[in-house]
Amino acid sequence: MFNYWIKELRVLAEGKIEQLFSILDSSSELIQKAEDQSYLDSLIDTLSFMQSDDNDFEGLTSADAKKLTNIYADFDADQYTAETIRKGIQMAFLKAIRIDKIQANYQITPDTIANVIGYIISGIFHSKKELTILDPAMGTANLLTAIYHQLETSIGVTPTISGIENDDAMFELAADSVELQKIHAELFHEDAIQNVLAPVVDAVVSDLPIGYYPIDANAKGFETHSESGHSYVHHLLIEFGMKHVKKGGFGFFLVPSELFQTTEAKQLLKWMQGKVYLQGLLNLPKELFQNSAAQKAILILQNSGNGAKQVDPVMLGEFPSFKDQQAFTKFLTEIDDWEQEDLL
């Protein structure tokens, strides 16, 4: 997916986005060299400095502080839209992934995929006047804020958003990004598997981390925990997420395409019975992934209650290539029809 990201960001790197990225990058490179630290930590420092009014660049020489002051002189937050800020930060984080060799679970969800998820959410909640959304593994909050802006544009609703993130660096980046975008959000610097007191919402959305959760004692309170050994963190987060969705509400999760084909899937399926409905599983195009084993899908779940029922048929399929606009548009139309005629 990394190569796809690079191609997508070349399209984004125009005008104001490129200008903002240049400011973020110049500052981060200067701080990285001066402090002998990672590019990611330097980017976090950059975002913090950019929002400070006192120009107190602690730890830097007066010469470096002067250079930073000159760099930030070109930055006026009011000259950038929230979407431009989100995309500029996203480009800088992509560089951090490359420079710092950040592990795969911290990669950003590409905008094309975020837009597809947002499109599905818009269709389901098009008649809502208010909407609450939670991401239990928000990372840098890029997916959450991308969907936030999309819903504002597509259905005219400004969602109330919340996010949970355990990693220190990811949380700081998310908090700074949300603040710069002037979005009101409730963010929790917590481990969701430790049962955070997060709000109950209309919808949960998350690009889930994949792999094993290391603390077995924390997982024991979940029905999806493994009977022996470590449990899959993505199973636990699906359960956590759906426990924080209202009756009849939805969960939209980016998951491995083979989610239900593993040995551990029996616990997930057992938990789902009588609690949630599997309403859709849509594979993303294979071209986005280095191999078929890494392919991901959009999982659509709905909580029981409030008139919810198992849809017939379940929306199953695979998106055509995003490059084939005609086939892609046709598939979106099929999703529209399914939402209106079968799901809602």
PDB file of all heavy atoms in Angstrom, residues 191-206:
ATOM      1  N   ASP A 191      -5.391   2.737  26.321  1.00  0.00           N
ATOM      2  CA  ASP A 191      -5.439   1.448  25.626  1.00  0.00           C
ATOM      3  C   ASP A 191      -6.896   0.992  25.633  1.00  0.00           C
ATOM      4  O   ASP A 191      -7.455   0.713  26.697  1.00  0.00           O
ATOM      5  CB  ASP A 191      -4.547   0.442  26.368  1.00  0.00           C
ATOM      6  CG  ASP A 191      -4.602  -0.958  25.766  1.00  0.00           C
ATOM      7  OD1 ASP A 191      -5.321  -1.167  24.776  1.00  0.00           O
ATOM      8  OD2 ASP A 191      -3.920  -1.856  26.304  1.00  0.00           O
ATOM      9  N   ALA A 192      -7.524   0.935  24.472  1.00  0.00           N
ATOM     10  CA  ALA A 192      -8.947   0.596  24.393  1.00  0.00           C
ATOM     11  C   ALA A 192      -9.248  -0.769  25.010  1.00  0.00           C
ATOM     12  O   ALA A 192     -10.344  -0.988  25.537  1.00  0.00           O
ATOM     13  CB  ALA A 192      -9.417   0.623  22.941  1.00  0.00           C
ATOM     14  N   ILE A 193      -8.284  -1.679  24.969  1.00  0.00           N
ATOM     15  CA  ILE A 193      -8.511  -3.022  25.503  1.00  0.00           C
ATOM     16  C   ILE A 193      -8.596  -3.003  27.026  1.00  0.00           C
ATOM     17  O   ILE A 193      -9.066  -3.948  27.644  1.00  0.00           O
ATOM     18  CB  ILE A 193      -7.397  -3.994  25.039  1.00  0.00           C
ATOM     19  CG1 ILE A 193      -7.249  -3.924  23.514  1.00  0.00           C
ATOM     20  CG2 ILE A 193      -7.704  -5.430  25.438  1.00  0.00           C
ATOM     21  CD1 ILE A 193      -8.528  -4.157  22.735  1.00  0.00           C
ATOM     22  N   GLN A 194      -8.192  -1.909  27.636  1.00  0.00           N
ATOM     23  CA  GLN A 194      -8.341  -1.770  29.086  1.00  0.00           C
ATOM     24  C   GLN A 194      -9.675  -1.128  29.445  1.00  0.00           C
ATOM     25  O   GLN A 194      -9.863  -0.628  30.546  1.00  0.00           O
ATOM     26  CB  GLN A 194      -7.178  -0.958  29.665  1.00  0.00           C
ATOM     27  CG  GLN A 194      -5.844  -1.697  29.585  1.00  0.00           C
ATOM     28  CD  GLN A 194      -4.718  -0.969  30.283  1.00  0.00           C
ATOM     29  OE1 GLN A 194      -4.645   0.261  30.242  1.00  0.00           O
ATOM     30  NE2 GLN A 194      -3.833  -1.708  30.917  1.00  0.00           N
ATOM     31  N   ASN A 195     -10.609  -1.193  28.488  1.00  0.00           N
ATOM     32  CA  ASN A 195     -11.990  -0.731  28.688  1.00  0.00           C
ATOM     33  C   ASN A 195     -12.081   0.741  29.078  1.00  0.00           C
ATOM     34  O   ASN A 195     -12.479   1.094  30.189  1.00  0.00           O
ATOM     35  CB  ASN A 195     -12.708  -1.600  29.723  1.00  0.00           C
ATOM     36  CG  ASN A 195     -13.792  -2.438  29.082  1.00  0.00           C
ATOM     37  OD1 ASN A 195     -14.206  -2.169  27.952  1.00  0.00           O
ATOM     38  ND2 ASN A 195     -14.260  -3.450  29.774  1.00  0.00           N
ATOM     39  N   VAL A 196     -11.729   1.596  28.161  1.00  0.00           N
ATOM     40  CA  VAL A 196     -11.823   3.038  28.323  1.00  0.00           C
ATOM     41  C   VAL A 196     -13.299   3.442  28.440  1.00  0.00           C
ATOM     42  O   VAL A 196     -14.170   2.861  27.790  1.00  0.00           O
ATOM     43  CB  VAL A 196     -11.193   3.740  27.098  1.00  0.00           C
ATOM     44  CG1 VAL A 196     -11.234   5.250  27.265  1.00  0.00           C
ATOM     45  CG2 VAL A 196      -9.763   3.275  26.911  1.00  0.00           C
ATOM     46  N   LEU A 197     -13.571   4.443  29.245  1.00  0.00           N
ATOM     47  CA  LEU A 197     -14.939   4.949  29.378  1.00  0.00           C
ATOM     48  C   LEU A 197     -15.250   5.895  28.220  1.00  0.00           C
ATOM     49  O   LEU A 197     -15.434   7.099  28.406  1.00  0.00           O
ATOM     50  CB  LEU A 197     -15.111   5.656  30.730  1.00  0.00           C
ATOM     51  CG  LEU A 197     -15.029   4.752  31.961  1.00  0.00           C
ATOM     52  CD1 LEU A 197     -15.079   5.588  33.235  1.00  0.00           C
ATOM     53  CD2 LEU A 197     -16.170   3.740  31.946  1.00  0.00           C
ATOM     54  N   ALA A 198     -15.284   5.333  27.039  1.00  0.00           N
ATOM     55  CA  ALA A 198     -15.547   6.106  25.822  1.00  0.00           C
ATOM     56  C   ALA A 198     -17.054   6.254  25.619  1.00  0.00           C
ATOM     57  O   ALA A 198     -17.850   5.477  26.163  1.00  0.00           O
ATOM     58  CB  ALA A 198     -14.911   5.408  24.626  1.00  0.00           C
ATOM     59  N   PRO A 199     -17.472   7.237  24.825  1.00  0.00           N
ATOM     60  CA  PRO A 199     -18.905   7.443  24.613  1.00  0.00           C
ATOM     61  C   PRO A 199     -19.534   6.346  23.763  1.00  0.00           C
ATOM     62  O   PRO A 199     -18.850   5.646  23.018  1.00  0.00           O
ATOM     63  CB  PRO A 199     -18.951   8.789  23.870  1.00  0.00           C
ATOM     64  CG  PRO A 199     -17.622   8.877  23.182  1.00  0.00           C
ATOM     65  CD  PRO A 199     -16.648   8.229  24.110  1.00  0.00           C
ATOM     66  N   VAL A 200     -20.846   6.207  23.888  1.00  0.00           N
ATOM     67  CA  VAL A 200     -21.624   5.327  23.018  1.00  0.00           C
ATOM     68  C   VAL A 200     -22.098   6.173  21.840  1.00  0.00           C
ATOM     69  O   VAL A 200     -22.656   7.257  22.033  1.00  0.00           O
ATOM     70  CB  VAL A 200     -22.820   4.718  23.769  1.00  0.00           C
ATOM     71  CG1 VAL A 200     -23.682   3.883  22.833  1.00  0.00           C
ATOM     72  CG2 VAL A 200     -22.321   3.855  24.934  1.00  0.00           C
ATOM     73  N   VAL A 201     -21.868   5.689  20.627  1.00  0.00           N
ATOM     74  CA  VAL A 201     -22.012   6.527  19.433  1.00  0.00           C
ATOM     75  C   VAL A 201     -22.911   5.887  18.376  1.00  0.00           C
ATOM     76  O   VAL A 201     -23.297   4.722  18.479  1.00  0.00           O
ATOM     77  CB  VAL A 201     -20.623   6.816  18.818  1.00  0.00           C
ATOM     78  CG1 VAL A 201     -19.782   7.647  19.768  1.00  0.00           C
ATOM     79  CG2 VAL A 201     -19.900   5.510  18.476  1.00  0.00           C
ATOM     80  N   ASP A 202     -23.210   6.662  17.338  1.00  0.00           N
ATOM     81  CA  ASP A 202     -23.983   6.153  16.204  1.00  0.00           C
ATOM     82  C   ASP A 202     -23.165   5.191  15.356  1.00  0.00           C
ATOM     83  O   ASP A 202     -23.699   4.224  14.806  1.00  0.00           O
ATOM     84  CB  ASP A 202     -24.459   7.313  15.317  1.00  0.00           C
ATOM     85  CG  ASP A 202     -25.400   8.261  16.040  1.00  0.00           C
ATOM     86  OD1 ASP A 202     -26.428   7.793  16.551  1.00  0.00           O
ATOM     87  OD2 ASP A 202     -25.086   9.466  16.114  1.00  0.00           O
ATOM     88  N   ALA A 203     -21.868   5.486  15.244  1.00  0.00           N
ATOM     89  CA  ALA A 203     -21.021   4.661  14.377  1.00  0.00           C
ATOM     90  C   ALA A 203     -19.590   4.625  14.896  1.00  0.00           C
ATOM     91  O   ALA A 203     -19.078   5.616  15.417  1.00  0.00           O
ATOM     92  CB  ALA A 203     -21.035   5.210  12.949  1.00  0.00           C
ATOM     93  N   VAL A 204     -18.985   3.470  14.744  1.00  0.00           N
ATOM     94  CA  VAL A 204     -17.561   3.306  15.008  1.00  0.00           C
ATOM     95  C   VAL A 204     -16.882   3.078  13.673  1.00  0.00           C
ATOM     96  O   VAL A 204     -17.392   2.350  12.817  1.00  0.00           O
ATOM     97  CB  VAL A 204     -17.304   2.107  15.954  1.00  0.00           C
ATOM     98  CG1 VAL A 204     -15.846   1.685  15.917  1.00  0.00           C
ATOM     99  CG2 VAL A 204     -17.686   2.466  17.376  1.00  0.00           C
ATOM    100  N   VAL A 205     -15.721   3.699  13.485  1.00  0.00           N
ATOM    101  CA  VAL A 205     -14.956   3.510  12.255  1.00  0.00           C
ATOM    102  C   VAL A 205     -13.495   3.366  12.627  1.00  0.00           C
ATOM    103  O   VAL A 205     -12.999   4.097  13.499  1.00  0.00           O
ATOM    104  CB  VAL A 205     -15.170   4.686  11.272  1.00  0.00           C
ATOM    105  CG1 VAL A 205     -14.765   6.007  11.896  1.00  0.00           C
ATOM    106  CG2 VAL A 205     -14.418   4.467   9.971  1.00  0.00           C
ATOM    107  N   SER A 206     -12.792   2.399  12.012  1.00  0.00           N
ATOM    108  CA  SER A 206     -11.389   2.222  12.372  1.00  0.00           C
ATOM    109  C   SER A 206     -10.642   1.376  11.350  1.00  0.00           C
ATOM    110  O   SER A 206     -11.170   0.394  10.839  1.00  0.00           O
ATOM    111  CB  SER A 206     -11.284   1.548  13.747  1.00  0.00           C
ATOM    112  OG  SER A 206      -9.990   1.667  14.276  1.00  0.00           O
TER     113      SER A 206
END
